[in-house]
Amino acid sequence: MGASVDLARLLALGQQGARLVEVSETATLVVFVAAGHGVAVVPRSVRSLSLEGVTYVPLTDAETVGLLLARRTDRVSPATSRVAALIEECVRD
């Protein structure tokens, strides 16, 4: 994996005139990085998008993100219930 990056130092760069670009898809961020348009902070799961020239470096002191399970209340199928129970079980572990 190599060295890790201090998140506080990375965020401080934004206060030094670095340009910030926001996109709706994390894959777009990685494509920008691959094209040489800067760096991006992305979820760990994005590492599966392996593009030539892109290296993923873990951040130190990275904040966690709370996740919610969203599902319909008016139509609950047995399959949906099983998936929801599996997700809840994985989160508890």
Side-chain angles (χ1 to χ4, degrees):
M1 288 232 188
S4 59
V5 175
D6 185 327
L7 183 57
R9 289 180 61 202
L10 182 63
L11 294 175
L13 292 175
Q15 299 171 355
Q16 298 173 7
R19 193 174 81 177
L20 175 68
V21 176
E22 294 184 43
V23 298
S24 60
E25 298 290 330
T26 53
T28 304
L29 287 172
V30 179
V31 170
F32 280 3
V33 171
H37 296 295
V39 299
V41 177
V42 296
R44 183 173 285 131
S45 61
V46 174
R47 291 180 63 183
S48 63
L49 298 174
S50 41
L51 293 174
E52 187 175 331
V54 176
T55 301
Y56 297 95
V57 180
L59 299 172
T60 59
D61 301 325
E63 294 185 26
T64 59
V65 177
L67 299 176
L68 299 173
L69 173 65
R71 65 182 197 181
R72 295 185 58 106
T73 56
D74 59 343
R75 286 190 292 171
V76 180
S77 70
T80 301
S81 295
R82 285 193 302 273
V83 169
L86 178 62
I87 292 170
E88 290 170 352
E89 180 180 321
C90 290
V91 170
R92 272 181 278 183
D93 291 343

